[in-house]
Every structure is written in structure tokens, then in C-alpha cells.
Amino acid sequence: MATILETSRLILREFLPEDADALARVICDRETMRFYPMAFDRSGADEWIVRNRRRYEEFGHGLWAMDLKAIGEMIGDCGITVHDVDGEGLQEIGYHVRRDLWGQGLATEAARACRDYGFQTLDAPFLISLIRAENVASCRVAEHNGMTIWKQTTHANLQHRVYRITRAEWQGLRDRS
Ligand SMILES: CC(C)(COP(=O)(O)OP(=O)(O)OC[C@H]1O[C@@H](n2cnc3c(N)ncnc32)[C@H](O)[C@@H]1OP(=O)(O)O)[C@@H](O)C(=O)NCCC(=O)NCCS
């Protein structure tokens, strides 16, 4: 099992095919996916894992499985994927957390670890998060991650905010902490 990152409460590691049942509890939940065109069905969870394993091979990163150390369960994902934004392939931090565990700072903890990884290990000039304005919780996570709104774009036929943090802004955060 390839572990990518560890935080105080979480392990981020590569998805395995056997994670599909736990992942389905997240991405097949209608309330969780209400800002997406639709929730995934069970085969969508299998495909999600295949897609991310392909990304590991192609880019060296993707969405990683998020394990909560205290209970030893996979409770969501967080990671860095490449998204086309206005014709440019940009590195995006994304996150999904099982609904019964929302509001404990877990997405923020994972997103910050991915941000540091993006700058330190992937040498990213900047990182983005694509978020619909109505998705207030996700906007809050991006703000906690040091991001600000850069521009608007259309993604999956829906208007999205493009949140961004540049390397210089990230270095500034580190200097102040
Ligand atoms: C977005 C998501 C990952 C956040 O996970 P989480 O572990 O609960 O996030 P955190 O606890 O780190 O932070 C959530 C923040 O949003 C706030 N929040 C949560 N629900 C909210 C709501 N309905 N309205 C307004 N703010 C909300 C929390 O108060 C917190 O902000 P604060 O620390 O300033 O108080 C989770 O809600 C989720 O999985 N959503 C569905 C998937 C999704 O939309 N992913 C993002 C795609 S762009």
C-alpha cells in the first residue's frame, strides 16, 4: 500500500480496488454529491478508483484514499488532479469526506498536506481548487488552505470559482507561521 502523506489524524495513500465499498459511502451519497451533476452509482465507485490509479501512473499523483487513523477506515479522498481550465491543464486540490464526519476539520487537514506536497514535491508554481459558489463548506476549506478567488470558469457545464494559491503566497504563509 503506497502511503503518500500522513497528518496527525489521517493517512493519504493510493486507492486500491478493494476501497470501492468504502468510497461508495461517500460518492454514491446524494447529499454529499449535491453540487455535482449527480451522485455516482456503485460501478461509478469502481471506475473512480480505476481512473485515479491511471492518474498515478500518468502524472504521479491523483486523488488519494483518506484513512482516518483513529478508526482504521477509509473515509474519503483528497489529492491533486490535473484539470483543464480555459484550455490549460492545472493542478487542482480536491476533497470528499464521508458525511457523518463533516465539520471536524478533516478536509482542511488533508488539503493543507496536499498543498504542501504540491509545492514541495511536485514543484507546482500554483495550485487551484474548482468550486461552485453554493458549495460553502468547500469554499471554506479552500480559504483555510490559503487560497483566494482567482477567476470564474465553466467546468462540467457549470459555473465554478477558481480558487488559487501561488508558490509566493504559500511561502509567505510559512514565513508567518
Ligand atoms: C467539502 C467537504 C470535503 C468539507 O469536509 P469537512 O471535513 O467537513 O471540512 P472541514 O471540517 O475541514 O471544514 C468545513 C468548513 O465548512 C464549514 N461548513 C460546513 N458545512 C457548511 C454549510 N452547510 N454551510 C456553510 N459552511 C459550512 C465548516 O464550518 C468549516 O468552516 P469553518 O472551519 O470556518 O467553520 C465536505 O463537506 C464534503 O465532502 N462535501 C461534498 C463533496 C464536495 O463538495 N467536495 C468538494 C468539491 S469542490
Side-chain angles (χ1 to χ4, degrees), residues 57-90:
E57 283 178 21
E58 189 177 346
F59 300 106
H61 54 85
L63 288 172
W64 296 302
M66 183 194 290
D67 289 341
L68 182 57
K69 290 194 256 183
I71 56 173
E73 288 178 31
M74 203 222 83
I75 55 116
D77 66 17
C78 186
I80 302 175
T81 55
V82 177
H83 277 280
D84 186 297
V85 178
D86 304 332
E88 243 191 310
L90 304 182

Side-chain angles (χ1 to χ4, degrees), residues 9 26-27 29 31-36 66 75-77 92-99 101-111 129-132 134-144 160-161:
R9 291 179 292 175
V26 184
I27 66 167
D29 178 66
E31 168 70 8
T32 301
M33 303 308 280
R34 71 189 188 283
F35 297 112
Y36 284 70
M66 183 194 290
I75 55 116
D77 66 17
E92 198 240 354
I93 299 179
Y95 26 76
H96 306 83
V97 171
R98 207 173 76 195
R99 185 149 54 96
L101 296 164
W102 285 358
Q104 299 180 29
L106 293 170
T108 297
E109 188 170 315
S129 285
L130 280 169
I131 307 175
R132 288 177 63 189
E134 308 90 297
N135 193 347
V136 180
S138 184
C139 292
R140 292 294 298 147
V141 174
E143 288 157 13
H144 289 315
H160 280 71
R161 290 177 175 173

Side-chain angles (χ1 to χ4, degrees), residues 148-165:
T148 52
I149 299 169
W150 172 30
K151 61 178 180 175
Q152 308 283 332
T153 195
T154 305
H155 173 68
N157 289 323
L158 295 164
Q159 184 78 358
H160 280 71
R161 290 177 175 173
V162 186
Y163 279 86
R164 178 178 71 165
I165 181 168

